[in-house]
Amino acid sequence: MDLPVDEWKSYVFQKWSLLPKSTQVTISTAETLSDIFLHSSLLLQPEDEMFLQNLSRGYLVEKDPNAPLFYREEGNKKFQQKDYMGATVLYSKGISHSRPHTADISLCYANRSAALFHLGQHEMCLKDIMSAQMHGYPERLQPKMMLRKAECLVTLGRRQEASQTISDLESSFAAKPTLTAAQFQILQTNLCRLKMKAQEKESLTETFPAALTKALEDMDLKGENGQVPSASSSVSLRTDPLRGRYLVATKDILPGELLVKEDAFVSVLHPGEMPPLCHLESKWDTRVTNGDLYCHRCLDHTLATVPCDGCSYAKYCSHDCMQQAWDLYHSVECSLGGLLLTLGVFCHIALRSTLVARFEDASKVIRKLCGEIRNRDTCSPERETLVQTLTCDLGGESENKGKMLEPPVPGCDLNGKYESNYNAVFHLLPHTGNHSPEHRFLCALSVSALCRRLEAAGCYKPAAAVPPGSGSELDVWGVAMLKHVLQLHCNAQAITTIQHTGSKENSVTNSRQVRLATGIFPVISLLNHSCSPNTSVSFISTVATVRASQQIGKGQEILHCYGPHQSRMRAAERQQKLRSQYFFDCSCAACQNEKHSAATGPRWEAFCCRSCGALMQGDDVLICGSTSCTESVSRDHLISRLQDLQQQVGMARKLLRNDKPGDWQKSATHLQKSLQVVEVRHGPSSVEMGHELFKLAQLFFNGFAIPEALNTIQKAEKVLMVHYGPWNDEIQELQKMKSCLLDLPPIPAGPSVQGPNVFFQ
């Protein structure tokens, strides 16, 4: 997914193995990215491009005129089964394949409005009704859709608009009576009902986009940081030869404090499972992917996607997002969907980064890149021509032409400010020498093929700093794209979201963290790794937030976990993972403690002292590893207790899945036992503990155990607030439950009563 598809990788590795030894040595010993790119691009042959093109054709990303009818019929089947969510997605797929102002797109929009109406998404329903009308929805089918519009307006409390819609509908039928007597009677009955409902409705609920805007506005950084604008005033940027660039606390920081709030420089939505057509039973895929549910620009969740007019792949949450994406990058990417899916997310991000850079003053970066190309002992004529072309007329005073003034910290401007811009992205380390020669060749050949395609399509407009018409400026950006692909190996940030499973009938929802997209965050890339970090990262749309997960003292480094965490992996596994992906050996406090500990496994696979929490050591009889503690216990006794806990956790999970009436008490009992395991393994303030407490709060709430529910809600809020802030979905859910419980009248003394199965969505 991040790298090219397996077929292209195998093809390129085979090509590499057949190269003359001297050519392999030349590329393997190349000292600069420009050398790697220029040598590799000369090896790209027409048959290579043809092979790649055939792979790209396997992805259905163009608009297929036969697809809308198929998806509309499949959506109708889901609708009849009352699977309105499934119907909505299928109608959206039909819309994405439809051309503007056709019967296909108007019918798909109208059908989707009906599904959205049944899902209670009245604002989205109204937008789809408007879109259906705009694209020429047949007049003979208008009455039913207009009734739906009036119903939405009434439900939303927009009484004046609802009354006008009803009046227009009545006038329309008076002028053109096209209905049978029975149909007219039904219409009249519905109109009367709507009129009465319109008189009763008064309030309008807040829409999701408004709530999201409020959430982002409320995530304010504490104080202004003149050095790193995306960070709070509580941190400062430092640099040293061993740790590179890093952030430190300038004051004591409390758990939950917001330290960094950064919008991705660019991000690319992960396509999810999108196998080529040759792997599908049908020509058209009916499965639901991330691309069907999230905006391809801002990553907002949406049920009513707005498709690109030129391709069937890109979908957005609004026309505004669609236009912004088109202006920034999609006008170039639109015709390349299949190729970008074949080459992988890293190549896609690399291209998008250079496209976005066109709107910044990238002349200094280009001059630096050209300097890297020029400063070789032996310059080929092609390279010399390229340098001469790109270093002329780059702007600035004549005496400064060709000169580079280096800032004090790489990625900063000359004033020492580190911003989330292309200059900062460009200065992220690619670790070129750490990648294998085969991998560098794969990346270089992939980027070369992408550049050839861009050149052939004539759709790539260079940055203003690069003279147009020279015919070689794309090579410079090709070198930049190669650098970005290699950078992403260490600097790509997974943008995650919490997805919930379960229905309204379930007492408890299961949640899991999923990778939604990949992005570049130059400020977050400043954070060094720790297997036991002092921060927690979360996302709202494309905005990443970094919060202190524990107290951080003044002068301490701000640390982030790159994936290998002490609560999930042994030290040896963590070191192997970090060494292979990030090219360093970790020496954080957690690794040092495990290295010097006599225990054979990590903390969560060993037994801990119940008195002081230190690791227990020994064979048949375990003794506390702390010199100040004398606790001892039989290993067999602890193993027996552990097996009992594991059995109870399994029973709790089974009861939660079955969700039978009356089982909530058993489930709660077992879940409380499992919390002990989670606390030992991940810690009492861990995000894992927060999610488990959230489940327990749901159980108590649905079981009407008011004191227990309120107590658990308070604990869950306290933990989750540290990691996510106040606008997390689970925190919002907890607050709704608490509000509901506090508004209940006092329960009279007497036998306890099983409460209703209430669940907020």
Side-chain angles (χ1 to χ4, degrees):
M1 189 178 292
D2 289 332
L3 297 175
V5 297
D6 290 340
E7 294 89 341
W8 177 243
K9 285 193 289 187
S10 298
Y11 181 90
V12 174
F13 291 154
Q14 175 74 5
K15 183 180 179 72
W16 169 264
S17 67
L18 297 176
L19 290 176
K21 191 68 176 177
S22 58
T23 304
Q24 289 185 359
V25 171
T26 299
I27 296 175
S28 300
T29 58
E31 296 181 8
T32 66
L33 287 169
S34 58
D35 282 337
I36 296 171
F37 177 77
L38 292 172
H39 284 304
S40 300
S41 62
L42 292 174
L43 296 172
L44 183 66
Q45 300 300 313
E47 57 268 26
D48 304 331
E49 296 181 72
M50 184 60 67
F51 181 82
L52 184 59
Q53 187 175 356
N54 289 334
L55 290 177
S56 303
R57 286 173 179 160
Y59 293 96
L60 183 61
V61 293
E62 298 176 350
K63 290 186 183 293
D64 186 333
N66 298 315
L69 177 60
F70 169 81
Y71 283 121
R72 193 167 76 249
E73 290 178 345
E74 292 298 310
N76 291 344
K77 293 176 186 177
K78 294 286 186 182
F79 191 94
Q80 290 167 2
Q81 297 166 5
K82 299 188 185 301
D83 180 3
Y84 301 118
M85 181 70 75
T88 298
V89 172
L90 289 169
Y91 292 142
S92 295
K93 287 178 181 288
I95 292 169
S96 69
H97 280 279
S98 302
R99 292 291 179 184
H101 307 295
T102 60
D104 281 332
I105 196 168
S106 68
L107 290 170
C108 285
Y109 269 123
N111 286 13
R112 192 174 73 178
S113 75
L116 290 169
F117 177 82
H118 283 281
L119 289 171
Q121 301 294 326
H122 299 103
E123 288 282 6
M124 292 182 184
C125 176
L126 288 173
K127 289 180 180 179
D128 272 8
I129 290 172
M130 187 181 303
S131 295
Q133 292 174 319
M134 181 182 70
H135 290 286
Y137 189 64
E139 186 175 352
R140 61 185 174 80
L141 301 176
Q142 289 275 353
K144 193 172 183 179
M145 192 171 71
M146 295 307 292
L147 275 174
R148 190 180 306 133
K149 177 181 178 180
E151 185 87 49
C152 287
L153 291 169
V154 169
T155 303
L156 293 170
R158 292 155 62 173
R159 292 181 295 169
Q160 187 173 352
E161 293 174 77
S163 298
Q164 184 62 51
T165 301
I166 294 170
S167 176
D168 292 344
L169 196 53
E170 289 176 323
S171 300
S172 174
F173 282 108
K176 298 179 181 179
T178 58
L179 299 180
T180 64
Q183 289 174 327
F184 186 76
Q185 183 63 42
I186 294 173
L187 173 66
Q188 286 289 86
T189 302
N190 285 330
L191 287 175
C192 290
R193 176 179 57 82
L194 283 175
K195 285 180 180 179
M196 294 177 62
K197 193 173 179 181
Q199 293 172 359
E200 298 171 357
K201 200 72 179 176
E202 295 180 356
S203 63
L204 172 64
T205 56
E206 184 179 43
T207 62
F208 174 74
L212 176 62
T213 300
K214 187 176 180 182
L216 292 173
E217 288 175 351
D218 285 353
M219 292 193 309
D220 289 332
L221 292 166
K222 191 174 181 180
E224 184 178 345
N225 191 322
Q227 186 185 25
V228 186
S230 297
S232 79
S233 59
S234 301
V235 302
S236 177
L237 174 61
R238 304 284 176 82
T239 182
D240 79 26
L242 292 179
R243 286 183 287 183
R245 299 167 299 177
Y246 62 99
L247 297 178
V248 298
T250 58
K251 52 181 285 189
D252 291 338
I253 296 171
L254 296 175
E257 183 176 332
L258 183 62
L259 304 179
V260 175
K261 174 187 172 184
E262 182 182 20
D263 199 353
F265 177 73
V266 296
S267 62
V268 169
L269 183 74
H270 273 228
E273 293 295 327
M274 280 196 66
L277 295 177
C278 59
H279 295 166
L280 295 175
E281 296 180 2
S282 169
K283 181 179 180 181
W284 299 294
D285 191 4
T286 58
R287 293 174 302 174
V288 181
T289 66
N290 286 340
D292 299 313
L293 299 174
Y294 294 90
C295 176
H296 286 223
R297 192 196 76 82
C298 71
L299 304 183
D300 279 356
H301 184 273
T302 179
L303 296 177
T305 54
V306 177
C308 167
D309 289 338
C311 69
S312 65
Y313 177 66
K315 307 178 185 75
Y316 306 95
C317 64
S318 66
H319 284 90
D320 286 344
C321 262
M322 180 179 68
Q323 191 60 52
Q324 289 179 46
W326 183 265
D327 293 341
L328 284 172
Y329 48 78
H330 192 64
S331 58
V332 173
E333 296 177 358
C334 185
S335 63
L336 305 175
L339 178 62
L340 293 172
L341 287 170
T342 304
L343 293 180
V345 171
F346 283 0
C347 269
H348 197 164
I349 292 178
L351 170 63
R352 188 169 291 184
S353 296
T354 61
L355 293 173
V356 172
R358 298 176 301 168
F359 298 90
E360 295 186 9
D361 178 13
S363 59
K364 293 184 178 64
V365 175
I366 296 169
R367 191 178 289 115
K368 181 178 178 65
L369 186 58
C370 292
E372 292 177 0
I373 298 174
R374 166 183 282 160
N375 293 331
R376 302 294 301 118
D377 294 333
T378 58
C379 285
S380 67
E382 294 87 352
R383 183 187 295 114
E384 188 59 39
T385 300
L386 179 62
V387 172
Q388 291 175 357
T389 301
L390 293 172
T391 52
C392 68
D393 298 327
L394 286 176
E397 298 299 325
S398 58
E399 62 267 24
N400 291 327
K401 287 185 179 180
K403 296 181 180 179
M404 283 298 298
L405 298 175
E406 291 294 335
V409 178
C412 292
D413 61 21
L414 294 178
N415 296 318
K417 180 180 286 189
Y418 188 93
E419 298 185 273
S420 187
N421 57 18
Y422 187 69
N423 182 51
V425 170
F426 186 83
H427 283 88
L428 297 174
L429 295 178
H431 297 283
T432 308
N434 294 110
H435 297 282
S436 69
E438 294 89 347
H439 181 75
R440 295 199 297 265
F441 182 65
L442 169 67
C443 296
L445 207 69
S446 298
V447 171
S448 298
L450 180 56
C451 288
R452 293 267 185 96
R453 179 74 177 273
L454 288 165
E455 188 174 26
C459 56
Y460 190 95
K461 296 180 181 179
V466 180
S470 65
S472 56
E473 65 271 7
L474 196 54
D475 287 337
V476 170
W477 288 106
V479 177
M481 281 191 271
L482 175 58
K483 182 171 187 175
H484 297 324
V485 171
L486 296 178
Q487 286 172 335
L488 287 163
H489 194 79
C490 294
N491 291 284
Q493 176 65 53
I495 299 175
T496 60
T497 187
I498 301 295
Q499 287 187 350
H500 298 281
T501 58
S503 66
K504 293 182 179 180
E505 288 73 32
N506 294 125
S507 298
V508 175
T509 54
N510 289 318
S511 60
R512 62 191 182 102
Q513 189 178 57
V514 296
R515 187 177 186 179
L516 180 61
T518 298
I520 301 181
F521 296 84
V523 175
I524 291 179
S525 290
L526 295 173
L527 301 178
N528 281 328
H529 167 79
S530 171
C531 299
S532 180
N534 52 21
T535 61
S536 184
V537 180
S538 61
F539 302 88
I540 294 183
S541 298
T542 58
V543 177
T545 60
V546 180
R547 296 178 183 274
S549 59
Q550 61 190 56
Q551 188 164 339
I552 304 174
K554 180 179 179 180
Q556 277 188 269
E557 186 175 356
I558 311 299
L559 297 167
H560 168 46
C561 180
Y562 292 179
H565 197 284
Q566 69 160 349
S567 68
R568 304 183 190 99
M569 293 184 187
R570 294 176 178 271
E573 293 176 89
R574 300 200 304 269
Q575 294 290 1
Q576 191 277 330
K577 172 75 173 176
L578 292 167
R579 197 176 295 121
S580 63
Q581 182 171 350
Y582 298 99
F583 312 121
F584 71 88
D585 292 317
C586 184
S587 58
C588 71
C591 288
Q592 292 297 318
N593 290 340
E594 287 187 37
K595 181 179 179 181
H596 297 301
S597 172
T600 57
R603 181 181 183 86
W604 55 271
E605 287 188 355
F607 291 110
C608 299
C609 176
R610 65 179 180 179
S611 300
C612 66
L615 293 175
M616 303 292 286
Q617 302 173 13
D619 295 321
D620 295 336
V621 177
L622 299 177
I623 301 173
C624 179
S626 173
T627 55
S628 60
C629 183
T630 59
E631 188 76 26
S632 64
V633 66
S634 163
R635 179 183 289 274
D636 290 340
H637 174 70
L638 291 180
I639 290 175
S640 176
R641 287 191 59 196
L642 177 61
Q643 290 173 343
D644 180 57
L645 278 173
Q646 290 171 337
Q647 183 180 7
Q648 294 194 53
V649 170
M651 291 174 64
R653 288 174 176 167
K654 183 178 179 180
L655 289 168
L656 289 174
R657 284 195 301 269
N658 295 338
D659 197 27
K660 295 178 180 178
D663 278 349
W664 72 267
Q665 290 175 318
K666 293 180 182 178
S667 298
T669 300
H670 294 308
L671 191 54
Q672 284 174 305
K673 294 286 187 181
S674 74
L675 280 171
Q676 299 175 21
V677 177
V678 174
E679 183 173 352
V680 170
R681 179 170 177 174
H682 298 287
S685 300
S686 63
V687 67
E688 291 84 0
M689 191 71 172
H691 292 313
E692 292 300 303
L693 285 168
F694 173 73
K695 292 179 185 178
L696 184 60
Q698 285 184 315
L699 277 174
F700 284 139
F701 176 79
N702 287 288
F704 218 55
I706 298 176
E708 293 87 348
L710 289 172
N711 181 48
T712 308
I713 287 170
Q714 183 180 8
K715 291 179 180 178
E717 275 188 300
K718 183 178 180 181
V719 174
L720 291 173
M721 191 74 76
V722 167
H723 297 279
Y724 294 117
W727 283 98
N728 171 257
D729 288 343
E730 290 186 346
I731 291 175
Q732 294 291 299
E733 175 78 11
L734 290 167
Q735 291 173 351
K736 289 179 183 178
M737 289 192 288
K738 181 168 64 175
S739 177
C740 179
L741 293 174
L742 293 175
D743 288 342
L744 289 174
I747 299 177
S752 61
V753 181
Q754 174 72 38
N757 188 6
V758 184
F759 182 69
F760 291 97
Q761 283 289 80

